[in-house]
Amino acid sequence: MKLLLFLLTLITGLDTSLDKLSTLRLGTVRGVRSLPRVPRWKRERRTEHSSRSERKRRDSFGMFDGYDSCSEDTSSSSSSEESEEEVAPLPSNLPIIKNNGQVYTYPDGKSGMATCEMCGMVGVRDAFYSKTKRFCSVSCSRSYSSNSKKASILARLQGKPPTKKAKVLQKQPLVAKLAAYAQYQATLQNQAKTKAAVSMEGFSWGNYINSNSFIAAPVTCFKHAPMGTCWGDISENVRVEVPNTDCSLPTKVFWIAGIVKLAGYNALLRYEGFESDSALDFWCNICGSDIHPVGWCAASGKPLVPPRTIQHKYTNWKAFLVKRLTGAKTLPPDFSQKVSESMQYPFKPCMRVEVVDKRHLCRTRVAVVESVIGGRLRLVYEESEDRTDDFWCHMHSPLIHHIGWSRSIGHRFKRSDITKKQDGHFDTPPHLFAKVKEVDQSGEWFKEGMKLEAIDPLNLSTICVATIRKVLADGFLMIGIDGSEAADGSDWFCYHATSPSIFPVGFCEINMIELTPPRGYTKLPFKWFDYLRETGSIAAPVKLFNKDVPNHGFRVGMKLEAVDLMEPRLICVATVTRIIHRLLRIHFDGWEEEYDQWVDCESPDLYPVGWCQLTGYQLQPPASQSSRENQSASSKQKKKAKSQQYKGHKKMTTLQLKEELLDGEDYNFLQGASDQESNGSANFYIKQEP
């Protein structure tokens, strides 16, 4: 036993001497662990750490520190290991890059990777210790050698043959890595097949825009949409950190990409290093959770790995990235936080509101918020027992109001059969609703009987001859379409005096828009002067209309996502086909022009490309060629096909409105009538061509 203890002490002393010699030769190797028994090692490691810190401070991008290992001379040898077996390297196309917490890449793809037989750490082979490259550090090499020698001597003393059990056990991580890698490759192939099948059937904004060279309206055009007011300078050439999909690693890694093209929230990205090669360009939503500003990987400890296709192009990726990124723009550091904050909505389920009755536009009803998606509300009318009688609108829509709004302005209201609130339901605070501009009704103001032009809320592709039928409080007006009014006013609708959906007499003629004359009017072409004289009417003063035209940023031909206001639960692929100051003509791609809609540039029913993907809303793709060919040639059959597709309202006759109105119980406050405001607008004096 004494002999055994003496031999063990002798081995330990020999190891210590060898360690001192190795320390003198390997003082700059990265990842070497400090040894309390060797003070000089501590000093040299502190010196190395200090120099590394200085390089970090000089580096503009902290993520590059790990690349130093590719160019530093880290090879050395130890006399105690020259006879050891060399571990077979991993395949060269497996660029595993993490070693002792530092990020590495292996650009040339020739020498491959290595696994430490002591601790199981995987890293770049050239960054490993000694000629055999079997250990990640001197500490692991020493520990392994010491354990092997001790085990060998003890085995001899016990009369057993030498064992390599420790070595076999330490090689298991390598086998596990290879197995995981094989499984990962199989998973990638399955995912690729699945994605390919889905993309053939589904609609892709990226493919749609690329194949037709379309442009999309910028996010800044939509102030009500997420990031609409804080989009900033996000544009082409901005750099971001994104997942690297051109990689064979079983773990998620990242690389830097630049924005080649913007389409709303969607961006066409190209990995750095591909120059003008667009082979691996890809579209993604810039507000997605996998898009980060440059430097995020360094701060989060995530690995940056160049795409496999271009790994061979550069031997010093750090120098390449420093050159490419110096002076480049990236996303703000708090970009993801801003996205999250802009997608927080004050409306919550169970809130009660007053909303226009979709069956009788002349009145409002109480409805309850059922769900909120991207600021859009699914409202269920309070009397609906099966909760299927619903209505969709945006939380900033002029169609919804706080409880008591109808009574306050004298608007017609349908009394609910429910005598008390249901458990959990509560009135929405009034301050959450969109505010209308205050007006002074004490001076010259709109009067009953005045003529004007207005967008027909039941046929949003037309601007019609209209009449003010009643003046309500707070600047609201009840308006009827000439030639299609019910005697009892059941088909009137409500617009505010500042609404961009009403226009002075002559607006359509000045801006070369077709004005729809009253139904049954035979003196065509329609002339306002003759019509006013025949009806004994006067035109509403031009100065009373809203003439503000914001710098909205829309251009003809821009793509966007738009609500079909005749079936407001649907959001469709659409195009701006005409601009008259603040009034936009929205065309639904794949459908004919008769289904177009006039919409205001600030309408909450317009969204940037990618909004549906960002919020999880269902986007309706363009109508297919076969769908269009199935439509009949006659206008009547076309309208029928459209109504079946979109399930929108057909314009009701006077008799239908009267009969349906009798079915419901309603009553008037002071001045009685209804609320419906489509989005649309314009100015009145300057002609503007499409």
Side-chain angles (χ1 to χ4, degrees):
M1 191 64 183
K2 291 182 180 180
L3 177 60
L4 174 61
L5 293 176
F6 171 76
L7 290 174
L8 290 177
T9 305
L10 180 62
I11 292 172
T12 304
L14 178 60
D15 286 342
T16 303
S17 300
L18 290 175
D19 288 341
K20 291 181 180 180
L21 178 59
S22 299
T23 301
L24 293 175
R25 301 172 60 187
L26 302 172
T28 59
V29 176
R30 284 180 176 270
V32 179
R33 301 172 185 172
S34 59
L35 301 176
R37 295 179 297 167
V38 188
R40 183 174 179 180
W41 169 255
K42 281 189 174 181
R43 292 197 298 272
E44 293 190 9
R45 193 172 188 276
R46 282 198 296 269
T47 303
E48 179 204 354
H49 177 74
S50 176
S51 63
R52 220 167 41 233
S53 299
E54 289 182 9
R55 287 199 302 273
K56 264 190 179 179
R57 287 192 294 270
R58 290 196 302 268
D59 197 343
S60 301
F61 305 92
M63 79 200 87
F64 303 139
D65 294 333
Y67 290 100
D68 292 342
S69 62
C70 296
S71 58
E72 290 176 4
D73 181 14
T74 58
S75 62
S76 58
S77 62
S78 173
S79 59
S80 63
E81 298 175 359
E82 291 178 355
S83 62
E84 295 288 352
E85 257 179 33
E86 184 173 349
V87 177
L90 289 176
S92 60
N93 62 347
L94 183 60
I96 302 176
I97 44 72
K98 198 142 190 183
N99 182 31
N100 284 354
Q102 297 294 330
V103 178
Y104 295 92
T105 59
Y106 203 82
D108 61 15
K110 295 179 180 178
S111 299
M113 316 303 292
T115 302
C116 179
E117 292 188 16
M118 185 62 203
C119 67
M121 181 64 69
V122 180
V124 179
R125 185 174 177 76
D126 275 0
F128 269 42
Y129 168 72
S130 85
K131 289 182 178 180
T132 58
K133 308 299 181 186
R134 296 176 57 191
F135 307 103
C136 65
S137 65
V138 173
S139 177
C140 283
S141 172
R142 181 180 56 257
S143 299
Y144 184 91
S145 299
S146 178
N147 291 339
S148 298
K149 291 176 183 177
K150 290 176 183 177
S152 178
I153 293 174
L154 287 174
R156 288 192 183 97
L157 291 175
Q158 295 171 4
K160 298 179 181 179
T163 178
K164 293 187 178 180
K165 184 178 180 181
K167 178 182 291 187
V168 174
L169 291 175
Q170 294 302 332
K171 283 187 177 180
Q172 286 182 355
L174 175 59
V175 178
K177 289 286 184 181
L178 289 173
Y181 168 67
Q183 184 179 2
Y184 178 72
Q185 288 285 63
T187 303
L188 281 182
Q189 292 177 359
N190 294 334
Q191 289 178 348
K193 293 178 181 178
T194 304
K195 290 180 180 178
V198 173
S199 63
M200 293 296 291
E201 299 177 359
F203 172 76
S204 167
W205 263 119
N207 295 337
Y208 191 57
I209 290 175
N210 274 348
S211 59
N212 299 279
S213 299
F214 291 139
I215 59 172
V219 175
T220 52
C221 293
F222 309 88
K223 306 301 182 186
H224 59 281
M227 301 298 292
T229 58
C230 54
W231 189 247
D233 297 329
I234 300 176
S235 59
E236 295 178 4
N237 297 320
V238 166
R239 304 311 205 280
V240 293
E241 292 179 353
V242 295
N244 179 4
T245 57
D246 182 27
C247 186
S248 303
L249 295 177
T251 56
K252 189 174 185 179
V253 296
F254 294 80
W255 189 240
I256 297 170
I259 297 178
V260 178
K261 185 175 183 178
L262 266 180
Y265 292 117
N266 293 346
L268 180 63
L269 299 180
R270 181 174 300 167
Y271 289 122
E272 283 295 335
F274 276 84
E275 308 301 339
S276 59
D277 183 3
S278 60
L280 290 184
D281 288 3
F282 61 98
W283 285 90
C284 70
N285 195 302
I286 207 72
C287 294
S289 59
D290 276 338
I291 311 300
H292 308 283
V294 172
W296 176 84
C297 284
S300 306
K302 302 294 183 180
L304 277 171
V305 180
R308 178 174 48 183
T309 306
I310 59 171
Q311 271 188 353
H312 65 281
K313 289 184 65 175
Y314 301 96
T315 58
N316 190 337
W317 281 101
K318 174 180 176 179
F320 167 79
L321 289 180
V322 169
K323 181 178 179 180
R324 292 285 296 174
L325 299 182
T326 300
K329 293 182 179 179
T330 188
L331 301 178
D334 59 345
F335 183 77
S336 60
Q337 181 181 349
K338 287 182 178 180
V339 172
S340 178
E341 291 174 353
S342 66
M343 295 182 68
Q344 301 298 317
Y345 307 104
F347 280 80
K348 307 297 179 185
C350 297
M351 285 185 170
R352 300 172 75 242
V353 300
E354 288 185 9
V355 62
V356 64
D357 188 339
K358 66 180 182 181
R359 294 185 177 82
H360 304 285
L361 301 183
C362 63
R363 67 190 184 191
T364 58
R365 297 169 64 183
V366 174
V368 179
V369 177
E370 178 74 13
S371 60
V372 183
I373 303 178
R376 291 189 61 76
L377 313 177
R378 179 178 180 260
L379 303 172
V380 176
Y381 291 112
E382 200 168 46
E383 308 90 72
S384 176
E385 294 181 359
D386 58 0
R387 308 193 71 76
T388 58
D389 189 9
D390 61 358
F391 183 79
W392 282 89
C393 68
H394 193 270
M395 63 182 183
H396 294 154
S397 170
L399 303 179
I400 59 172
H401 310 276
H402 61 85
I403 299 296
W405 173 83
S406 297
R407 179 186 296 274
S408 67
I409 70 163
H411 194 284
R412 184 173 294 177
F413 176 78
K414 182 181 184 299
R415 182 166 48 195
S416 174
D417 296 332
I418 299 177
T419 57
K420 63 178 182 179
K421 297 180 188 177
Q422 297 183 13
D423 293 341
H425 294 177
F426 58 99
D427 296 349
T428 306
H431 71 272
L432 297 184
F433 296 88
K435 301 294 187 297
V436 295
K437 186 178 179 180
E438 294 185 2
V439 294
D440 182 12
Q441 298 183 224
S442 59
E444 186 177 8
W445 192 242
F446 292 100
K447 294 183 175 59
E448 293 182 15
M450 284 184 173
K451 300 292 183 179
L452 70 164
E453 298 175 3
I455 295 176
D456 185 350
L458 292 177
N459 186 4
L460 295 167
S461 66
T462 62
I463 299 179
C464 306
V465 174
T467 304
I468 297 175
R469 293 306 181 186
K470 196 168 283 285
V471 179
L472 308 180
D474 296 339
F476 288 95
L477 309 170
M478 297 306 302
I479 296 175
I481 300 297
D482 285 20
S484 59
E485 294 181 70
D488 60 356
S490 57
D491 58 354
W492 296 348
F493 50 92
C494 183
Y495 281 141
H496 192 263
T498 61
S499 169
S501 297
I502 59 174
F503 319 98
V505 164
F507 169 80
C508 286
E509 182 180 358
I510 291 174
N511 292 284
M512 292 185 291
I513 300 174
E514 182 181 357
L515 177 66
T516 302
R519 183 180 301 174
Y521 190 76
T522 57
K523 293 183 179 181
L524 302 177
F526 178 84
K527 299 293 182 182
W528 264 115
F529 180 80
D530 295 338
Y531 185 71
L532 290 175
R533 185 179 58 185
E534 292 170 4
T535 57
S537 307
I538 61 172
V542 174
K543 64 181 181 181
L544 298 181
F545 292 84
N546 179 14
K547 295 182 284 294
D548 295 335
V549 180
N551 183 19
H552 48 70
F554 287 101
R555 298 291 181 270
V556 171
M558 284 183 170
K559 296 293 179 181
L560 69 163
E561 299 176 1
V563 176
D564 179 1
L565 294 171
M566 302 310 296
E567 180 53 64
R569 68 183 178 84
L570 301 180
I571 297 182
C572 311
V573 173
T575 307
V576 178
T577 57
R578 197 174 178 192
I579 302 175
I580 307 296
H581 308 293
R582 65 179 300 151
L583 189 65
L584 309 179
R585 179 84 170 181
I586 301 299
H587 172 74
F588 296 106
D589 290 18
W591 293 98
E592 298 192 8
E593 292 183 359
E594 62 182 290
Y595 308 123
D596 291 359
Q597 297 179 354
W598 288 109
V599 181
D600 181 51
C601 65
E602 295 183 342
S603 167
D605 295 309
L606 302 178
Y607 304 98
V609 167
W611 181 88
C612 284
Q613 179 188 2
L614 178 63
T615 60
Y617 206 96
Q618 178 66 47
L619 176 66
Q620 303 299 316
S624 62
Q625 182 68 28
S626 58
S627 299
R628 295 194 299 269
E629 290 175 352
N630 289 335
Q631 297 182 40
S632 174
S634 69
S635 175
K636 181 178 180 180
Q637 289 174 330
K638 288 177 184 176
K639 290 181 180 178
K640 183 178 180 181
K642 175 70 174 181
S643 65
Q644 290 174 344
Q645 174 70 22
Y646 286 86
K647 301 180 181 178
H649 305 299
K650 294 181 180 179
K651 193 161 187 175
M652 300 180 183
T653 63
T654 302
L655 180 60
Q656 287 174 322
L657 285 170
K658 286 181 178 179
E659 291 175 349
E660 292 192 11
L661 190 60
L662 293 175
D663 294 338
E665 182 181 1
D666 61 0
Y667 60 93
N668 293 324
F669 290 119
L670 301 179
Q671 305 166 31
S674 98
D675 174 32
Q676 164 72 16
E677 177 171 352
S678 303
N679 294 302
S681 74
N683 209 335
F684 319 111
Y685 308 107
I686 304 174
K687 295 184 179 180
Q688 181 167 331
E689 298 299 329

